[in-house]
Structures are given as structure tokens and as C-alpha cells.
Amino acid sequence: MPICKVGDKLEVSQDMLLYQLFDLDEPTQMLSVDVWVESTWQDCRLVWDPASFNNVTEFAIKSEQIWYPDLIFYESLHGNFEEGMFIYGESTARVRHDGWLGAQALFKAFCRVNIRQFPYDSQRCNITFSSWTKDARTFRLKRKSGETGDKKDHAFAEASNGEWEVTGFPSYNRMTARNIGVLENETAEYTEVVFQLRLRRKYLFHQTYMLFPCMLLTWLAAFAFFLPTECGERIAYITTILLSLVVFLLLVAENIPRSGDAVPILGVYFCLAVCLVSVANLMVIASYNVSLKPNDFCPPEWLRRCCFRLGPLVGFLPTHHNGRAKLLAFRMNPRNPTTSSNAEAATAAADA
């Protein structure tokens, strides 16, 4: 490590600029971005006088030919060092005559997705840089924009894509204690630089092609009771609507991570819609079964209670307590069960 004076610390400034957000894949929780990562530090061993070398003030060199900090980012998708956990393995560095160096790198990162508010959700993806072996006693990593605050935005205005809108890309410094030895009390502090990518989903696509059709199908399911019983198409009609809602529910499941931490509100809505249409399907089957009964068929007591007591409560209609009299009046004259003669006869039969 290029420390020329005893007791000094090597300071490395870390900066990142977001050019383009490619994708945030929710099922795999993989963040694909095009970023420009730059680290700058001073190496006292690479200082020269430009006048002695034809006024050459800087040159480019492979990072593997010079000393570079062993920086890693915790959210790397690679599980070993050879495939990119160290960010400056095969990049190109720029060396200046005063000893300042800069190196760049491109990468993909892991981002934990919170799907509770899907598709009206906002995500925050952290990209954390730190040294692998050097603690704060000899090495200091800081963000290039300054010491305090996170007001600087490290993203271009055109960085958003068709699905996500970049609302901010601030950075900040922090200190983290790690266990460096075999014993539990052997800890050391390490400096870290955190870049936080803030995203907000553009919900117009999901609202137009998923939410609105589901609302329309749920509304159309109520019209199954307006179909004549004799046509025999009630069950096929509402079963088709039920299968369509199940297909939409499967589409939602394919676009979210397989996690048991939370259930998206859109998935809850589809599940409730499937339950309501399933209940309507059972009611259609029950009504079709009752319509095929003979004229002297008397419904069971639980069915009469549901129809004449619970039914009006659900439909916000006045409750008829004398449900048996109403039923007998309907059996005597199905076309006009509310006539006075039928009602009186039904009341007398009920009292008897």
C-alpha cells in the first residue's frame, strides 16, 4: 500500500455516475445498470517531472500492473473474487505526474425488492463499497462529492427506462465494525461508501393491462344472475370469468419474487376477486339446481334463513321476518306472490 510517511492514512475517493438503468428483474432481484465507477488516490511512488519526460503529464495503464485498492461491493452477484467481486481486476487506470490515479469499472448488483405495494411501489437499491482487508487505521474510503450530506445526485436525467423512474442517486459515508480475528471481541472499523439508487415504478402498464381488466371481469360476473335459467349458459359464463381471473393471478405471480415476506396488494385484490367469483359460481349452481326441483319442493330451513334474512342484509334491502309466509305465497302464485289473497292464504297456512 503506497504510504510514504509513517502514521499517514491512504485516502481513496469513490465516485459513481449512473448513465442508464437497464432493468430491475423482480423474480431474480437483479439490478442491471450502466454506471461509471471511479476511484482516485495518490501513489507517491508514481511521481515524475513532466519536463524530464517530453511534457508527459499522464498515461493509461492496466490496473493489474499497478497497486490498486482491494475494493469490493457487498451487493455483487458474483460469488468469488475471480469473477468480479474485486471491481478493478481488468480495468484501465489513468496515472498523473503528481501521483494521482483513477480507475473505472462496470458491474451488476443485487437489489432486495419490497413487493408489498406492487405495482405502486418504490425501491431503494444500495451499492456499498469497502476495502476487503484494510481497516480505518491505515485506509480511509470516502465519497468524492464531500464529507457530509447526500444532496448530490449521481444520475443523468435520461437514466430512467420504460418501467422505472430514477428519483435519486445520493451517496453517503459510514463506518462499520467487522470481526477480524478468531475471537469474538477482535473487531475493527472499516470505512464504507454507500450509493443508494432510488426508483419508482411506472404503474400505467400494470394498471391498464392487469388491474382494469380484472375490475371489468369482476363487474361482469354479477350479470350472470340476469341470464335466464332455461338457457343453461350461466355456469359456463361465470366459469369462463373465473378462469380469466386465475390467468391474471398467474401473471402477477410470475412478475414478483418468490418470497414469503410480503404479498403484493395487486395479488390480494386478484385473490379476493377469485373468491367472489367462486362464491357467485356456487350461487349460480345452487339456483340452477333449485330451478330443476318439482313445484312441491320445500327448501330446507337454513336455505330459507339465508334467502329471507341474510340475503336482504347483504343487498341492503328491507328484511321480511315472515319468510315462511312469503315462500308459501310464492309457491301459490309465482308470477305475483304479493297479492292480498295469496298473502292472506299463506299467512293462514303458516299459522296453522
Side-chain angles (χ1 to χ4, degrees):
M1 189 167 63
I3 297 180
C4 299
K5 295 182 181 180
V6 179
D8 288 351
K9 293 183 180 180
L10 178 63
E11 291 190 356
V12 177
S13 299
Q14 189 74 12
D15 196 10
M16 179 186 293
L17 186 62
L18 176 64
Y19 284 104
Q20 182 64 47
L21 171 65
F22 290 127
D23 185 29
L24 176 58
D25 191 7
E26 290 91 344
T28 60
Q29 304 190 50
M30 182 179 68
L31 176 66
S32 300
V33 290
D34 183 10
V35 294
W36 182 272
V37 183
E38 183 177 15
S39 299
T40 56
W41 67 94
Q42 188 175 23
D43 192 339
C44 58
R45 301 169 300 181
L46 297 177
V47 178
W48 72 90
D49 185 9
S52 302
F53 296 92
N54 296 327
N55 293 324
V56 176
T57 58
E58 66 177 42
F59 62 91
I61 189 174
K62 287 292 184 180
S63 298
E64 58 187 12
Q65 298 179 5
I66 60 173
W67 181 93
Y68 58 88
D70 55 345
L71 296 181
I72 62 171
F73 64 104
Y74 298 154
E75 296 81 10
S76 173
L77 290 177
H78 305 289
N80 53 65
F81 301 139
E82 290 78 8
E83 294 184 359
M85 194 171 182
F86 289 114
I87 63 175
Y88 296 126
E90 299 180 356
S91 62
T92 302
R94 291 180 295 108
V95 183
R96 290 172 44 182
H97 68 280
D98 53 1
W100 285 97
L101 292 87
Q104 298 82 30
L106 300 175
F107 57 87
K108 294 182 179 180
F110 170 80
C111 179
R112 184 173 296 277
V113 179
N114 185 6
I115 61 173
R116 187 179 298 275
Q117 300 297 327
F118 176 83
Y120 305 100
D121 55 332
S122 298
Q123 306 296 336
R124 294 191 175 187
C125 302
N126 290 338
I127 302 176
T128 308
F129 294 93
S130 180
S131 175
W132 180 250
T133 59
K134 300 171 181 60
D135 55 33
R137 293 173 295 183
T138 58
F139 183 84
R140 183 187 179 192
L141 183 65
K142 64 178 182 179
R143 65 192 188 99
K144 192 175 182 179
S145 55
E147 295 292 334
T148 59
D150 59 348
K151 297 181 179 179
K152 182 178 179 180
D153 195 0
H154 302 262
F156 280 98
E158 299 82 7
S160 304
N161 62 2
E163 184 178 2
W164 295 95
E165 178 186 358
V166 179
T167 59
F169 195 31
S171 62
Y172 57 92
N173 303 324
R174 73 180 181 186
M175 300 284 291
T176 303
R178 295 189 212 157
N179 189 1
I180 61 174
V182 180
L183 302 178
E184 295 183 358
N185 56 355
E186 293 186 56
T187 59
E189 290 187 342
Y190 289 79
T191 56
E192 298 176 352
V193 175
V194 182
F195 294 87
Q196 188 177 80
L197 180 59
R198 300 175 181 177
L199 305 174
R200 182 172 59 238
R201 189 189 302 272
K202 299 178 181 179
Y203 55 82
L204 182 61
F205 174 82
H206 301 279
Q207 186 172 276
T208 304
Y209 294 98
M210 298 182 68
L211 185 59
F212 178 73
C214 177
M215 296 175 60
L216 183 61
L217 290 174
T218 308
W219 182 67
L220 290 176
F223 286 88
F225 299 97
F226 290 91
L227 292 175
T229 308
E230 295 80 8
C231 69
E233 296 295 333
R234 276 187 174 185
I235 299 178
Y237 173 80
I238 201 166
T239 302
T240 303
I241 294 178
L242 179 61
L243 294 177
S244 301
L245 291 175
V246 172
V247 171
F248 279 110
L249 183 60
L250 294 177
L251 291 177
V252 174
E254 291 179 356
N255 289 276
I256 60 176
R258 292 173 176 83
S259 173
D261 297 335
V263 179
I265 56 175
L266 186 61
V268 173
Y269 175 75
F270 276 115
C271 290
L272 292 177
V274 169
C275 293
L276 289 176
V277 176
S278 299
V279 172
N281 198 358
L282 294 177
M283 295 176 64
V284 167
I285 294 175
S287 64
Y288 187 72
N289 187 19
V290 172
S291 66
L292 298 179
K293 297 294 182 179
N295 294 332
D296 57 349
F297 170 72
C298 184
E301 181 66 23
W302 65 269
L303 184 58
R304 294 199 300 269
R305 290 180 180 273
C306 291
C307 294
F308 294 106
R309 294 187 180 181
L310 296 180
L313 294 177
V314 175
F316 301 99
L317 299 174
T319 305
H320 301 286
H321 297 285
N322 196 358
R324 187 176 180 184
K326 295 290 182 180
L327 178 62
L328 292 176
F330 178 79
R331 302 300 301 176
M332 293 179 180
N333 189 1
R335 296 183 178 275
N336 190 12
T338 59
T339 57
S340 59
S341 59
N342 290 338
E344 293 176 359
T347 304
D351 295 337

